[in-house]
Amino acid sequence: MQHWWQTTVIYQIYPRSFQDSNGDGIGDLQGIISRLDYLQKLGIGAIWLSPVYQSPNDDNGYDISDYQAIMTEFGNMQDMDRLIAEAKKRDIRIVMDLVVNHTSDEHAWFVEAKKGKDNPKRDYYVWADPVDGHEPNALRSSFSGSAWQFDEASGQYYLHLFSKKQPDLNWTNPELRQAVYQMMNFWIDKGIGGFRMDVIDLIGKIPEQAITGNGPQLHPYLQEMNQATFGDKDLLTVGETWSATPESAKLYSNPDRHELSMVFQFEAMMLDQKPDGEKWDLVPLDVKKLKEVFIKWQTQLGDEGWNSLFWNNHDLPRIVSRFGDDGDLREVSAKMFAIALHFMKGTPYVYQGEEIGMTNHTVTDLDQIEDIESRNMYQERLAAGYAVDDILQSINAKGRDNARTPMQWDESANAGFTTGTPWLAVNPNYPVINVHDALADPESIFYTYQQLIAMRKVNPIMVWGEFSAIEAVPDQVFAYTRQWEGKKWLVVANFGKTEAHIALPGYTVSDVLIQNYPDHAITLADQTLAPFEAFAVVVA
Ligand code: TEU
Ligand code: CA
C-alpha cells in the first residue's frame, strides 16, 4: 500500500528561529504562516513542527507544561488552527512533535505528583528511594550529571533522562498512557498530518535495572498507541530512535506490525565521535564508514520497513560545516549532500536553512551559548579540568545552537528574521547566505533542492527503485544505482575536498538528471571528479 509520506519531502521548522512576526525576537506561528508560499515554492509536502505547546523553555519547548495549549511566545490556538488550514490550502500537512517520554516539571501532572507519595498523579512519573543515602543508581542525564533529582518534600528521587525540569513519565502506568492517547486524538481531530515522536525508544525504560532504550514493553506500547490513535488514519508517524539498528527498525516500521511509518536512526550521525566517548569527543569522518552505514540501511530494511533520510535537524550541526566545506566550496558541497541523499530510497527531510546552505556559527564565550545541553556540558567539563578552548572547540563542532541560529531570509537587519533583538544571534554571514539572494540565483542550492523534490513527485524510480551500491570506486566516492521497470539511474558523489578518479566503463549515459558542476561532461568510463562533485544520470 502506497502512502503520501513515501512520495514527498518533509521540511522541519524550529519555530523559535524561523520567522518572528511581532518584533519580540522570537519566531512564531504567524511568522510561519507568512512563509508558507516560500515552502510551497520549495515543493515540500509536510512540515515537521518542533514543539509549539506551552513550555517554560528550559529545553526550548521539549519541556511541555500543557500539551493542549500553544506556547505564549508562539501565539495561540487560533494561530495554530490557521496554520493547519493555510498549509492545507497549499497541499502541505502539519506533523506535530510528540514529546511523551517526559513533561516539564511545571506540567499540572507533575505539580500534583510532587504534592506527596499518595497523590493520584504520583505514579505518572518515576520515583525511587535513595540507596545508602544517594541516587538510586548511576543513570546519567543526556544533559550531564545524574538522571536522578532529589525531592526534599518526599525524600525520594525522580528520574529525568534530560534536564532536571524534564521529569520522565512512567509508561508502565496505564492511566498515563490513556491520557497521552487522549491528547494525541485531540491533535488528530484538528487535522494534523502526523507525529514525530521524541526519543520514543525510551518509553519502555526500566530505570531500576538502568535500562533506558528498547525496553521489553516498548513495542507493545507502540502497538497499543497505534490502535488507540492514528492506526486507522493515513498519518506520518516517525520515531526518533537514537539506538535503532536495521533489525530494530523493522520492528518499528514493518507495516504488518501496526506501529510507526518509519524511524530516524543516527548511526551516520555518530561517526565523527569517539566510539566509547560522547558527541563532544571528536574524530574526523571516515567516508568509507559513512558509505557502509548508508548501504547497510538501504539494503537491510528491505520491504519490512521504510528509511528516513536526513543530514540535519535542530540537534545536529549544519552538514555543510560538519562534513562539507563552509568556505569557497560551500555551494558545491551543499548540493553534493542533497544529491547523494535525495536519490536514495526513503523519505527525505530538509531542515530549515539546509536548502540555502546555512552554516555553523562559531562562538567564543559561554554567554553566547544558549542550549542547555552545551551549557551543562561546559560546566561539567570545566569542573573536570578540560581546557576552555577544547570545550569551545567541541561546542563549535557539535553544539545544537549551530542549527538554531535564525533563518536567513534576506540582507536586511537580522536577516529579515526579526525587527527586534533575536533570541539567539544571527549568523553574520547572512548578507551572503539568504533566501532572497538564493531565489534570485538560478544556480543556487535552493534550486537544487527544488529540482530534487519535484523529481520525486513524478519519478517512481526515485521512490520505489531498487538500490544497489557500486563498490568499484575510491573510498571517498559514494556511487549507487536505482532500478525500476527497466530504467536505471546512476548517482555519483565525491565526498572529498580533493579530486577523485572513477572508471565505470559498463554504463552509457543517456541523460543527465542533475549535476553540481554544470559545465562538466559526464563520461563515467574514465572521469576525474572535482572536489565534492556529484551528479545523477540515466544510464543504459
Ligand atoms: O533529542 C534526543 C536526544 O537524545 C538529543 O538531545 C541528543 O542526545 C543530543 O542532542 C545529541 O545530539 C530529543 C530532541 O530532539 C531534543 O531537542 C531534546 O532536547 C531531547 O529529545 C529531550 O526532549
Ligand atoms: Ca515573535
Side-chain angles (χ1 to χ4, degrees):
M1 176 189 172
Q2 181 173 328
H3 299 279
W4 62 267
W5 39 264
Q6 291 176 302
T7 58
T8 194
V9 171
I10 318 288
Y11 189 90
Q12 183 194 355
I13 288 178
Y14 193 71
R16 199 170 185 82
S17 307
F18 192 65
Q19 177 67 67
D20 174 22
S21 71
N22 63 347
D24 67 356
I26 299 172
D28 46 55
L29 294 177
Q30 291 195 24
I32 297 173
I33 292 168
S34 74
R35 295 293 182 179
L36 287 174
D37 288 341
Y38 165 71
L39 296 176
Q40 186 178 26
K41 181 181 182 67
L42 180 59
I44 53 100
I47 293 168
W48 156 24
L49 202 54
S50 274
V52 294
Y53 321 99
Q54 195 59 275
S55 165
N57 285 303
D58 191 55
D59 185 16
N60 288 353
Y62 282 91
D63 50 320
I64 295 165
S65 54
D66 186 341
Y67 288 102
Q68 295 177 206
I70 298 300
M71 191 190 300
T72 314
E73 297 93 320
F74 289 167
N76 56 44
M77 194 56 85
Q78 289 67 36
D79 297 328
M80 188 67 227
D81 291 335
R82 203 157 73 79
L83 171 58
I84 294 170
E86 286 299 319
K88 192 176 173 71
K89 282 182 196 166
R90 297 165 174 85
D91 287 331
I92 296 174
R93 292 171 168 88
I94 300 293
V95 174
M96 300 298 278
D97 208 319
L98 183 73
V99 187
V100 290
N101 173 68
H102 48 271
T103 68
S104 164
D105 64 347
E106 298 181 27
H107 192 288
W109 293 342
F110 193 72
V111 171
E112 280 303 304
K114 273 192 85 170
K115 284 180 180 169
K117 291 182 187 176
D118 54 1
N119 186 285
K121 290 286 187 295
R122 185 78 175 184
D123 196 35
Y124 270 37
Y125 295 88
V126 180
W127 301 88
D129 292 328
V131 170
D132 302 334
H134 295 291
E135 289 81 358
N137 63 27
L139 271 179
R140 292 182 57 72
S141 157
S142 278
F143 296 162
S144 303
S146 168
W148 297 99
Q149 175 63 26
F150 189 61
D151 168 46
E152 295 285 342
S154 64
Q156 286 192 309
Y157 286 84
Y158 68 83
L159 179 72
H160 62 89
L161 293 180
F162 294 95
S163 88
K164 293 180 173 47
K165 286 181 65 64
Q166 291 172 292
D168 277 59
L169 286 167
N170 169 17
W171 271 75
T172 67
N173 181 339
E175 189 188 315
L176 176 272
R177 298 203 304 270
Q178 290 308 320
V180 168
Y181 305 154
Q182 187 181 343
M183 174 271 288
M184 291 175 70
N185 284 321
F186 167 84
W187 284 103
I188 289 171
D189 291 347
K190 281 187 168 293
I192 62 170
F195 295 103
R196 176 267 186 182
M197 300 189 182
D198 192 62
V199 289
I200 202 69
D201 56 346
L202 300 181
I203 62 173
K205 67 182 77 84
I206 308 176
E208 59 280 11
Q209 296 173 30
I211 293 172
T212 51
N214 301 315
Q217 288 307 309
L218 168 59
H219 293 286
Y221 290 156
L222 288 176
Q223 289 163 18
E224 180 186 71
M225 176 194 281
N226 177 300
Q227 185 70 30
T229 62
F230 54 82
D232 58 351
K233 300 168 183 71
D234 193 16
L235 300 185
L236 163 64
T237 49
V238 50
E240 181 199 28
T241 53
W242 276 81
S243 56
T245 62
E247 279 321 299
S248 65
K250 289 177 187 175
L251 300 178
Y252 290 106
S253 58
N254 182 331
D256 300 340
R257 291 174 50 87
H258 306 293
E259 292 190 18
L260 305 180
S261 317
M262 68 187 85
V263 294
F264 289 134
Q265 54 86 10
F266 293 84
E267 200 173 343
M269 294 292 110
M270 293 193 270
L271 292 174
D272 56 350
Q273 70 187 65
K274 288 186 183 141
D276 54 352
E278 297 182 295
K279 64 184 261 187
W280 312 109
D281 304 312
L282 311 174
V283 293
L285 172 71
D286 175 348
V287 175
K288 197 164 181 293
K289 287 188 181 147
L290 181 65
K291 287 163 51 172
E292 284 164 7
V293 169
F294 277 132
I295 292 165
K296 177 170 77 168
W297 280 89
Q298 285 289 299
T299 53
Q300 290 187 11
L301 265 194
D303 55 4
E304 289 184 68
W306 191 259
N307 273 298
S308 65
L309 306 169
F310 64 94
W311 291 118
N312 295 285
N313 68 23
H314 63 292
D315 293 332
L316 301 174
R318 295 276 180 183
I319 192 65
V320 74
S321 300
R322 182 179 192 176
F323 292 161
D325 174 273
D326 52 14
D328 353 347
L329 294 170
R330 181 181 63 84
E331 293 200 85
V332 282
S333 71
K335 292 177 183 177
M336 181 277 289
F337 289 122
I339 291 167
L341 191 83
H342 280 246
F343 281 99
M344 283 198 276
K345 187 169 186 180
T347 300
Y349 289 73
V350 177
Y351 177 65
Q352 68 181 50
E354 173 187 340
E355 77 276 17
I356 58 169
M358 277 177 64
T359 67
N360 285 355
H361 178 213
T362 299
V363 293
T364 55
D365 195 291
L366 178 58
D367 64 15
Q368 298 161 9
I369 298 167
E370 199 279 339
D371 177 29
I372 187 169
E373 182 189 50
S374 296
R375 294 182 66 83
N376 286 4
M377 167 278 212
Y378 186 103
Q379 299 302 350
E380 182 177 61
R381 290 202 167 195
L382 197 62
Y386 284 73
V388 170
D389 286 352
D390 293 344
I391 295 172
L392 287 172
Q393 184 189 8
S394 291
I395 290 173
N396 282 319
K398 302 294 281 297
R400 305 190 301 178
D401 285 340
N402 281 308
R404 302 172 181 186
T405 59
M407 183 71 181
Q408 295 167 199
W409 294 104
D410 56 41
E411 298 181 19
S412 71
N414 292 308
F417 164 70
T418 179
T419 55
T421 304
W423 72 280
L424 181 68
V426 177
N427 192 316
N429 63 21
Y430 72 87
V432 175
I433 302 173
N434 62 72
V435 166
H436 175 269
D437 293 356
L439 293 178
D441 170 9
E443 293 304 316
S444 68
I445 301 161
F446 174 89
Y447 289 111
T448 292
Y449 273 89
Q450 186 191 57
Q451 195 181 341
L452 292 167
I453 294 167
M455 290 173 80
R456 181 169 291 270
K457 292 173 182 164
V458 295
N459 289 287
I461 185 172
M462 211 158 165
V463 180
W464 310 110
E466 184 190 359
F467 172 98
S468 302
I470 295 177
E471 307 288 353
V473 290
D475 285 350
Q476 72 186 63
V477 175
F478 180 35
Y480 59 88
T481 60
R482 300 290 304 276
Q483 299 184 68
W484 174 257
E485 294 184 347
K487 287 199 188 80
K488 185 181 281 191
W489 286 7
L490 176 88
V491 182
V492 172
N494 176 10
F495 274 70
K497 202 168 183 173
T498 55
E499 288 188 345
H501 183 264
I502 57 170
L504 299 171
Y507 299 98
T508 310
V509 178
S510 60
D511 190 14
V512 178
L513 296 162
I514 193 166
Q515 59 182 132
N516 64 351
Y517 284 84
D519 55 348
H520 283 197
I522 295 174
T523 56
L524 291 181
D526 172 12
Q527 181 165 355
T528 298
L529 299 173
F532 299 118
E533 180 156 14
F535 53 78
V537 289
V538 180
V539 290

